[in-house]
Amino acid sequence: MTSIRDVGKTISNAVLENVGRAMGQAQERTPLPVDLLESDDAYLAVFDAPGATSSDVQVRLSGRTIDVRVDRFREVYEHFEMVLPGRGLSLDGSVTLPDDAAIEAEGATATLHDNGTLRVEVPKADEAESPDTEDSDTEDEA
């Protein structure tokens, strides 16, 4: 026979699990927070990527947009069982660099730090190496 206490525990566990799933789904729909910084020779995008490891992170530079995807996994903790699955596992974020940005994708770097930040640095192209200048230089040399 099931006691009222067992029924109450079952109901509260089901509610907690549903609330946790909803929280995780909301986190997955919310873009990763990002700061965009600029120096004389580069742009730096700093994303919050808590709980991610380097194998969880994908970074893509497409045109002037930096796209980040984090597919993280939950660790299994011995002697513990999941009560509230509240963290989103698939997280996305992006930032578009300014319209006037001349970007050198070849020298771009992405570094995941222990504190849960992902830093993506994209160098600025030299004025002499911008596509418009290269075309005119090539025509002058020919």
Side-chain angles (χ1 to χ4, degrees):
M1 179 178 222
T2 304
S3 72
I4 293 193
R5 175 179 276 169
D6 291 338
V7 170
K9 186 175 180 178
T10 301
I11 290 172
S12 67
N13 285 345
V15 168
L16 282 175
E17 186 173 326
N18 286 331
V19 167
R21 283 195 181 124
M23 289 170 49
Q25 289 171 351
Q27 188 178 30
E28 288 178 355
R29 287 190 298 269
T30 304
L32 288 172
V34 60
D35 290 332
L36 181 62
L37 298 92
E38 181 180 14
S39 71
D40 289 339
D41 54 355
Y43 289 97
L44 179 65
V46 182
F47 292 88
D48 286 340
T53 64
S54 59
S55 62
D56 299 339
V57 178
Q58 299 170 20
V59 178
R60 193 177 97 222
L61 180 62
S62 176
R64 291 183 352 269
T65 303
I66 300 169
D67 293 308
V68 172
R69 177 155 178 99
V70 177
D71 289 310
R72 58 188 182 177
F73 300 92
R74 288 192 177 97
E75 287 186 49
V76 176
Y77 295 95
E78 198 171 322
H79 307 295
F80 288 90
E81 122 183 14
M82 180 65 67
V83 175
L84 177 67
R87 296 183 307 138
L89 299 179
S90 297
L91 309 172
D92 297 295
S94 67
V95 65
T96 301
L97 302 175
D99 288 337
D100 63 345
I103 301 164
E104 183 62 46
E106 196 169 296
T109 60
T111 308
L112 182 62
H113 293 267
D114 290 339
N115 66 357
T117 60
L118 171 67
R119 296 180 189 166
V120 181
E121 186 171 335
V122 181
K124 293 180 180 179
D126 293 333
E127 289 297 321
E129 294 178 9
S130 69
D132 294 336
T133 309
E134 281 182 20
D135 291 343
S136 62
D137 287 347
T138 305
E139 290 175 8
D140 291 343
E141 292 174 7

